[in-house]
């Protein structure tokens, strides 16, 4: 294993050209494929890349923002079909992970701004996700199939002025290809292992009376990579995605362009399989806490541990922390989760004069998500004491012992946004001004019934095994607002949130000389958020308000922020640009629907100080970009997650608090791209990110009035200290015409990261390689061409745990006593391995 890692690391170093020589990290990923987004490729070498990070089209190298760009070809080379495919680290500063093990909601972070649980209606993301200029309010539905993408821009660092709230870490901007007004398009089909199949169609219709139409259709399918032994039930890491998009561009005059689009998508998927990685790794047992220091729940000061001994594993349960399981040990009910997204967008641009362009972006979008997650099976509580080796067992055919927690949830979100912009130039001043309005309504509900039962079996009158049966669940009457997933269940929680945001912003760039550029800007934001808990712990708060001692209070809060920025940029030469930047951002507050009191938390704020350079040299055959930054975040929102057990039921309890003091985030990013000979492009990227949250004093009080106060360490999740990527692209002409044989190979490394705010336990490090070989642009006559490709992801079938949960290997959170902890539900760490090697063939026909 170590030898294989060494070989793969050598390959990564080779693909990175050994240019990762400094503790610097990549600032602008301008991969060779990204030049497809260029306005002017130039006579030789690296082409110009056009971006819209400043709300106007600018050259990437002359834009004083640390950012990465991936074009259509870059996405295709890596076989990126959804956002989660970027989780391997193509852009080192960009981190993408599933929420829990679920593909239906993504956690997205940049530069150490990564919320653990933005899955709640009253919780916001730390990185803004934009599609054609429209802010996506929820992380649900983000993993739907990508349509015909022109480019993906990753803006690093706070974007609080031009992009607004919830962009502390940066912004991820997805730009779709617009209608061309000329007949043409492409169709693509492919097939691969695990029953995968894809089909895409992108058609441009001829312009008629100033109207141009473009139609996109996408189908993506993959069978489960971990089989479910239960007949008729879905396996894990399955997906089936379908989407349609229609875009209409109207150009009644040369100065007016109106783009209208409608999209609808459906994503059926199952979570990654959650394996039991070890058994009682901390040696927990009944006795004093001092005698077993490894069995300590962070933030507690227990003196004694009770509830032992740790229960033995159920017969047939597999402990495997070293390799990905291709089949589950015990079959369980598993239904596919379904995400449905739809939306309308209208973008109007009117060039009033050479000095001013007025814009309007209007959008209405919605997400409907149903979640079915039984990936844990017998690998997490509730636990069963089968009575192995005894003469009697409580687990009988008449009363099977329940296990296999089935996490069910529904979410419905609707949002409306309106933005007005004025963009232009007066003399030597470039300006952007705008007004923004956002209105969102979200409701959710969740339930966690047990779905399986264990029935003891006997040999010679002694319990030696078990039969596993499905048990009825979700059979009760349900309130009218409950969604399809939790219909009939005892409801863990149900909440509803209404959010509004108003903002005005402006930014001016004074081009003092041909070389000196000074930018200042600011944004004023007013946020309003109201929310209620309809249900908590199966108690209907609408009809049975909780006792005063519970402390429940509906959310009714508002916040005002002014976020300034300033940049000093200097063009040392036509090929060397340097800048210094000060920027701020903030993330709105909210409340946790996973607590019975609907505990509220405040916003967090960040200040960033950044310097950078962007350079082209070697006759435009080399590009080196470097950025270093210091970020200070106050009132950091951190999460304390636990499972509370009440009788035979279990509830997910997550408390979000604001950590006092200043969280420090420091980093360096660098990127080197070389085009040493025609057809060969090499890219190396590296990101260093240091994070430190000050220890937080955690105070707990039990029912007797006793209390403890313990300082607890917290961590920023899914943020590696070191991350790197490298790629090699080579294209060689074949025969006459435009036909080329193209090779792409990339490697991506990430150091181990935390998966939970409150645990020091880390996931595994990763080193993933992808590749593609294409015979491209084979002429078929009349301007048509054919491309045939062979692709592979995770070529060496690397196996690593990307999410490790230690909560089930430690004592439970305090309930009735702060001095005595329970190990009754200790089992072991459980976690999720990455996707296995996938490969396939594709054929694309352009006309």
């Amino acid at each position: 294993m170590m030898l294989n890692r060494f070989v793969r690391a050598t390959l990564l170093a080779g693909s990175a050209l050994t240019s990762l020589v400094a503790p610097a990290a990549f600032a602008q990923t301008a991969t060779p494929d990204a030049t497809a987004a260029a306005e002017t490729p130039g006579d030789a070498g690296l082409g110009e890349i056009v971006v819209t990070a400043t709300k106007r089209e600018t050259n990437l190298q002359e834009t004083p923002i640390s950012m990465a760009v991936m074009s259509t070809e870059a996405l295709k080379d890596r076989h990126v079909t959804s956002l989660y495919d970027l989780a391997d680290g193509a852009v080192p500063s960009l981190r993408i992970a599933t929420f829990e093990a679920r593909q239906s909601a993504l956690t997205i972070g940049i530069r150490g701004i990564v919320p653990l649980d933005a899955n709640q209606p009253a919780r916001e993301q730390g990185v803004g996700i934009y599609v054609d200029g429209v802010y996506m309010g929820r992380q649900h539905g983000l993993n739907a199939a990508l349509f015909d993408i022109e480019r993906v821009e990753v803006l690093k660092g706070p974007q609080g002025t031009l992009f607004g709230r919830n962009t502390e870490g940066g912004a991820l901007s997805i730009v779709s290809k617009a209608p061309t007004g000329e007949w043409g398009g492409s169709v693509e089909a492919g097939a691969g292992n695990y029953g995968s199949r894809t089909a895409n169609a992108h058609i441009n219709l001829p312009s008629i009376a100033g109207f141009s139409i473009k139609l996109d259709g996408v189908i993506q399918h993959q069978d489960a990579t971990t089989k479910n032994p239960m007949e008729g039930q879905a396996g894990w890491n399955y997906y089936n995605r379908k989407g349609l998009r229609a875009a209409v561009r109207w150009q009644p005059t040369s100065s007016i362009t109106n783009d209208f689009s409608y999209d609808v998508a459906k994503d059926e998927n199952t979570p990654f399989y959650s394996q039991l990685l070890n058994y009682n790794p901390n040696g927990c047992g009944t006795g004093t806490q001092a005698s077993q220091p490894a069995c300590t729940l962070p933030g507690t000061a227990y003196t004694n541990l009770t509830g032992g001994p740790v229960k033995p594993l159920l017969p047939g349960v597999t402990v495997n922390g070293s390799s990905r399981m291709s089949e589950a040990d015990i079959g369980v009910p598993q239904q596919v989760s379904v995400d449905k997204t739809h939306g309308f967008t209208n973008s109007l641009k009117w060039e009033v004069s050479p000095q001013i362009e007025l814009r309007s972006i209007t959008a209405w979008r919605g997400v409907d998500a149903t979640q079915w997650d039984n990936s844990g099976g017998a690998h997490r509580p509730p636990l069963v004491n089968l009575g192995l080796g005894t003469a009697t067992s409580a687990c009988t055919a008449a009363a099977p012992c329940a296990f296999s927690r089935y996490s069910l949830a529904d979410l419905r979100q609707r949002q409306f946004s309106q933005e007005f912009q004025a963009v232009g130039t007066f003399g030597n001043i470039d300006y952007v001004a705008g007004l923004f309005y956002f209105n969102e309504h979200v409701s959710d509900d969740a339930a966690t019934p047990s779905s399986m039962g264990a029935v003891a079996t006997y040999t010679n009158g002694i319990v030696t095994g078990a039969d596993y049966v499905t048990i009825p669940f979700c059979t009760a009457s349900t309130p009218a607002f409950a969604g399809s997933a939790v219909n009939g269940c005892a409801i863990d929680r149900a909440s509803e949130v209404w959010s509004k945001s108003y903002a005005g912003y402006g930014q001016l760039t004074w081009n003092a000389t041909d070389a000196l550029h000074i930018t200042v800007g600011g944004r004023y934001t007013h946020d309003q958020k109201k929310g209620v808990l309809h249900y908590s712990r199966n108690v209907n708060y609408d009809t049975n308000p909780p006792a005063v001692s519970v402390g429940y209070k509906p959310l009714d809060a508002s916040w005002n922020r002014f976020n300034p920025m300033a940049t000093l940029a200097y063009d040392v030469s036509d090929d060397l640009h340097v800048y210094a930047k000060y920027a701020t951002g903030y993330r709105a507050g909210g409340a946790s629907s996973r607590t019975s009191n609907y505990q509220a938390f405040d916003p967090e704020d960040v200040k960033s100080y950044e310097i950078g350079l962007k350079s082209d040299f070697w006759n435009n055959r080399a590009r080196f970009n470097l950025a270093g930054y210091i970020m200070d975040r106050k009132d950091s929102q951190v999460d304390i997650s636990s499972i509370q057990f009440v009788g035979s039921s279990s509830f997910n309890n997550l408390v979000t608090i604001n950590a006092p003091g200043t969280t420090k985030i420091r980093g360096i990013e660098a990127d080197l791209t070389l085009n040493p000979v025609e057809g060969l492009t090499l890219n190396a990227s590296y990101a260093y990110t240091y994070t430190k949250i000050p220890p937080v004093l955690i105070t707990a009080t039990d029912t007797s009035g006793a209390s403890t106060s313990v300082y607890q360490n917290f961590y920023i999740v899914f943020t590696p200290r070191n991350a790197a990527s490298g790629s090699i692209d080579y294209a060689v002409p074949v025969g006459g015409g435009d036909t080329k044989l193209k090779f792409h190979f990339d490697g991506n490394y990430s150091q181990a990261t935390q998966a939970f705010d409150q645990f020091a336990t880390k996931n595994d490090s990763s080193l993933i390689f992808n590749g593609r070989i294409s015979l491209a642009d084979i002429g078929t006559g009349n301007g048509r061409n054919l491309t045939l490709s062979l692709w592979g992801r995770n070529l060496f079938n690397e196996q690593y745990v990307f999410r490790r949960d230690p909560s089930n290997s430690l004592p439970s959170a305090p309930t009735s006593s702060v001095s005595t902890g329970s190990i009754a539900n200790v089992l072991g760490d459980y976690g999720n391995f990455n996707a296995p090697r996938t490969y396939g063939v594709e054929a694309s026909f352009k006309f």
Side-chain angles (χ1 to χ4, degrees), residues 672-692:
L672 175 66
T673 303
L674 299 176
N675 179 211
V677 297
E678 185 176 355
L680 176 63
T681 308
L682 308 160
N683 183 78
S685 306
Y686 171 79
Y688 171 83
T689 310
Y690 167 85
T691 62
K692 179 64 176 179

Side-chain angles (χ1 to χ4, degrees), residues 19-239:
S19 58
L20 307 176
V21 293
F26 138 152
Q28 282 73 243
T29 300
T31 68
D33 301 312
T35 59
E39 286 283 313
T40 54
D43 296 332
L46 302 171
E48 176 183 304
I49 301 172
V50 175
V51 296
T52 54
T54 59
K55 305 297 184 181
R56 64 177 72 236
E57 290 188 348
T58 57
N59 180 353
L60 171 68
Q61 290 300 94
E62 297 175 0
T63 305
I65 295 176
S66 180
M67 62 185 300
V69 181
M70 298 191 74
S71 72
T72 304
E73 289 302 314
L75 299 171
K76 185 180 293 293
D77 283 340
R78 291 174 174 267
H79 196 68
V80 174
T81 60
S82 69
L83 280 182
Y84 186 65
D85 288 332
L86 293 176
D88 59 12
V91 180
S93 294
L94 173 67
R95 313 314 302 179
I96 298 179
T98 61
F99 174 73
E100 292 282 334
R102 302 158 195 157
Q103 300 184 60
S104 56
L106 298 181
T107 297
I108 298 178
I110 299 175
R111 286 188 175 179
I113 305 294
V114 193
L116 170 63
D117 183 10
N119 200 45
Q120 303 179 64
R123 185 78 183 274
E124 304 294 343
Q125 304 171 82
V127 171
I129 312 299
Y130 294 81
V131 177
D132 296 327
V134 177
Y135 175 69
M136 303 286 108
R138 294 294 106 196
Q139 66 186 78
H140 300 80
L142 291 181
N143 204 35
L146 293 174
F147 291 107
D148 200 10
I149 303 302
E150 179 177 308
R151 65 183 181 275
V152 175
E153 298 181 3
V154 182
L155 284 64
K156 305 170 191 176
Q159 306 296 320
T161 301
L162 291 184
F163 286 86
R165 65 199 281 268
N166 307 330
T167 58
E168 292 176 298
L172 183 68
S173 177
I174 301 172
V175 181
S176 304
K177 289 185 177 179
T180 64
E182 298 179 358
W183 167 251
S186 65
V187 292
E188 182 179 285
N193 62 335
Y194 294 105
S196 69
R197 54 186 181 270
T198 59
N200 305 317
H202 311 291
I203 301 174
N204 277 288
L205 301 179
S207 176
I208 300 177
F211 288 91
S212 304
I213 298 176
K214 184 173 185 291
L215 304 174
D216 300 303
V218 181
I219 296 175
Q220 301 169 0
H221 175 89
Q222 177 185 277
D223 292 341
T225 59
T226 300
K227 296 179 181 178
N228 189 344
M230 181 170 286
E231 186 177 354
Q233 299 300 304
W236 291 278
N237 191 25
Y238 159 95
Y239 61 78

